Amino acid sequence: MTFPYLLIFLIFLSMLPVTMVVPVVKDIVKDRLFGTNWDVAFFTSIPMLGSFLFSPVAGILSDFFKTRRYFIALFCFVDAGLFFLLTLVDDLPLFLFIRFLEGAAHIFVIGLLLSSAADRENDPIENRFYGKGVLIGIAGMFLSLGGAFGLPLGILGRSNPLLPFYTGSVILIFIGFSSLLFLRDKGIHKHKDFRWHFLLQSIRQNPFLFIPFLFNFIDRFTVGFLVSSFNIHLREDLGFHPGTLGLFLGLVLLPMSLFSYPSSLLARKIGVLPLVVGGSLVYGIFLALSGYTTDFHLLLVFLLICGIGAGLMFVPSMLLASKMSRSSVTATTMSAFTGIGSLGFMLGPLVSVPLETYFEAALPREYAFPALAGVFGSLEVVLALLTIPFFKAIDSKIKFAEQERKNNLLAKVAPTS
């Protein structure tokens, strides 16, 4: 079997349009469309609402029709059109509605690209990387690497804030044609007659499937804070321009991407849960500390360590969801995993803005933002600590699910007498 280089490359490209517009949020929403901090929060949240609502639809349709590439290609073209349409609209409510639709379209792209990687990873018959976490690890690495590279590309918007939107549209068209022409659906394992209740049945059999979902929710919840309140803090309080902002936010995603593959290998030796918990602790602690300094160099170090912690736990949390999923609902499980993350991303900005307003009213101004960062960082720490007592029970569920998947897949290829 050849390694799916194209699939990994497309996963990388799919994140560029998402993050390259983050550094120009202030320029577009506040300066061009005369919005407020609330509108900035809605700009980052509302596409995640679309992602959350439509991620189950993406997985269920793909599992039902047993195809990934046609849906990926179709919604790449739709997403590209919506990105371009955003540059033509000067009415803020309409602009936000199009952002909602854009988020709905994009979840088909990212969710099903990741599902394609999970198909290959979980197929012991057709893929030599099965059960080792290698392919999921590399997919996660390039997913976050795309986000890391996309943020500094926000510097394109320094002269024209619309340029990142044009560039993102072109990238999506390229992904669409590449998927349609070159991707192949392989290793999609499902029941002959798919039913909606399969995923719920899987969760009832293994309630610990909620654990990776919860970690992904909190992780993306804190990212929602980073791209909204933290974003405005860097632009307005510390005076960063879009290029510097993209660089600093990229400090979180770049080490996260570089550590993703090593963390998938390390997970084979020590298990996924220690990495999820340990990485979350590091990420949460240094996310909180990042709000307590205005020193340029110290902030750089804190965000870098924050990214290392994120890198340790990002792919293991994906692996945890993939390993505990029934083979018949792989795309549905992974799309639900992505969707619950989108819900966290959606709620993060909507919570951070009023919470910051509360702290500004209740505390001296110099303590308001540090308190806000402390709240978001502590969520990671508390969740990690609460998970520790369930280590053995979760590990046994992982082993059971893996054995069940192997037995089901081997039965499909067993020679009939």
Side-chain angles (χ1 to χ4, degrees):
M1 283 292 165
T2 58
F3 187 80
Y5 294 103
L6 176 63
L7 175 61
I8 297 301
F9 181 56
L10 296 182
I11 288 173
F12 167 80
L13 289 181
S14 70
M15 280 300 294
L16 294 180
V18 175
T19 56
M20 69 169 55
V21 301
V22 170
V24 297
V25 169
K26 174 184 178 295
D27 307 86
I28 293 292
V29 177
K30 297 191 74 174
D31 299 340
R32 183 171 179 266
L33 300 177
F34 307 107
T36 64
N37 283 357
W38 265 109
D39 296 314
V40 169
F42 284 127
F43 178 85
T44 55
S45 293
I46 203 163
M48 297 302 106
L49 175 60
S51 296
F52 174 71
L53 293 176
F54 283 88
S55 62
V57 178
I60 289 168
L61 285 176
S62 180
D63 278 336
F64 182 82
F65 289 103
K66 292 193 288 186
T67 183
R68 312 284 191 238
R69 66 183 180 119
Y70 290 116
F71 284 110
I72 292 170
L74 171 63
F75 283 93
C76 273
F77 299 141
V78 171
D79 201 15
L82 292 169
F83 254 95
F84 182 74
L85 192 57
L86 286 170
T87 67
L88 305 178
V89 173
D90 56 10
D91 178 72
L92 188 55
L94 179 58
F95 181 85
L96 294 175
F97 177 69
I98 296 172
R99 273 288 282 175
F100 166 78
L101 297 178
E102 187 275 319
H106 202 78
I107 198 62
F108 274 81
V109 179
I110 291 181
L112 295 182
L113 283 171
L114 290 176
S115 295
S116 297
D119 289 333
R120 301 288 292 272
E121 182 72 74
N122 290 328
D123 187 352
I125 306 304
E126 298 184 2
N127 197 280
R128 60 183 173 173
F129 298 105
Y130 170 79
K132 299 179 181 179
V134 173
L135 187 54
I136 288 290
I138 294 175
M141 179 178 72
F142 277 84
L143 184 74
S144 54
L145 193 63
F149 272 80
L151 283 166
L153 287 177
I155 199 171
L156 294 171
R158 191 171 183 180
S159 58
N160 181 3
L162 297 178
L163 193 55
F165 290 87
Y166 296 139
T167 307
S169 185
V170 172
I171 290 171
L172 286 163
I173 291 173
F174 175 81
I175 297 172
F177 277 115
S178 298
S179 301
L180 190 62
L181 296 175
F182 303 113
L183 278 189
R184 295 294 178 265
D185 294 319
K186 301 185 71 172
I188 301 177
H189 296 282
K190 59 184 290 299
H191 289 296
K192 183 177 180 181
D193 297 312
F194 181 81
R195 294 291 182 270
W196 287 70
H197 68 269
F198 288 164
L199 179 59
L200 296 177
Q201 206 173 58
S202 181
I203 292 174
R204 282 197 299 269
Q205 292 175 357
N206 182 9
F208 288 111
L209 191 57
F210 278 116
I211 296 293
F213 285 7
L214 188 56
F215 269 102
N216 197 35
F217 174 84
I218 295 297
D219 296 341
R220 298 294 297 276
F221 186 74
T222 60
V223 173
F225 156 71
L226 283 171
V227 301
S228 58
S229 294
F230 198 83
N231 183 334
I232 298 300
H233 170 67
L234 294 182
R235 288 296 306 273
E236 296 186 344
D237 297 337
L238 303 187
F240 287 12
H241 64 69
T244 306
L245 170 67
L247 174 64
F248 267 67
L249 292 183
L251 287 173
V252 178
L253 290 180
L254 183 59
M256 185 172 90
S257 62
L258 295 178
F259 276 80
S260 290
Y261 178 62
S263 71
S264 69
L265 298 180
L266 188 59
R268 293 163 56 185
K269 296 181 179 292
I270 66 174
V272 292
L273 276 174
L275 291 175
V276 171
V277 171
S280 295
L281 287 172
V282 172
Y283 174 70
I285 289 169
F286 283 90
L287 177 63
L289 290 175
S290 296
Y292 282 81
T293 182
T294 57
D295 181 82
F296 185 92
H297 299 95
L298 197 56
L299 180 60
L300 186 148
V301 172
F302 285 168
L303 289 176
L304 189 62
I305 298 175
C306 190
I308 293 172
L312 289 176
M313 55 85 167
F314 173 58
V315 168
S317 66
M318 291 174 61
L319 282 171
L320 193 57
S322 176
K323 285 178 177 292
M324 289 196 292
S325 170
R326 293 175 62 187
S327 59
S328 59
V329 288
T330 298
T332 305
T333 299
M334 295 307 292
S335 292
F337 177 83
T338 307
I340 201 71
S342 298
L343 178 63
F345 202 141
M346 178 189 71
L347 294 177
L350 298 180
V351 172
S352 68
V353 170
L355 192 59
E356 184 175 14
T357 302
Y358 169 77
F359 284 138
E360 287 174 346
L363 301 172
R365 180 170 175 79
E366 62 270 23
Y367 297 118
F369 190 80
L372 180 67
V375 168
F376 277 84
S378 66
L379 292 174
E380 289 279 351
V381 174
V382 170
L383 177 60
L385 294 176
L386 289 176
T387 305
I388 293 176
F390 300 100
F391 263 36
K392 288 185 178 179
I394 297 172
D395 188 57
S396 67
K397 291 292 186 181
I398 292 173
K399 292 177 179 176
F400 177 81
E402 287 181 329
Q403 188 59 49
E404 182 183 46
R405 184 184 298 114
K406 288 181 181 180
N407 293 340
N408 290 339
L409 292 173
L410 289 172
K412 287 178 181 290
V413 298
T416 56
S417 56

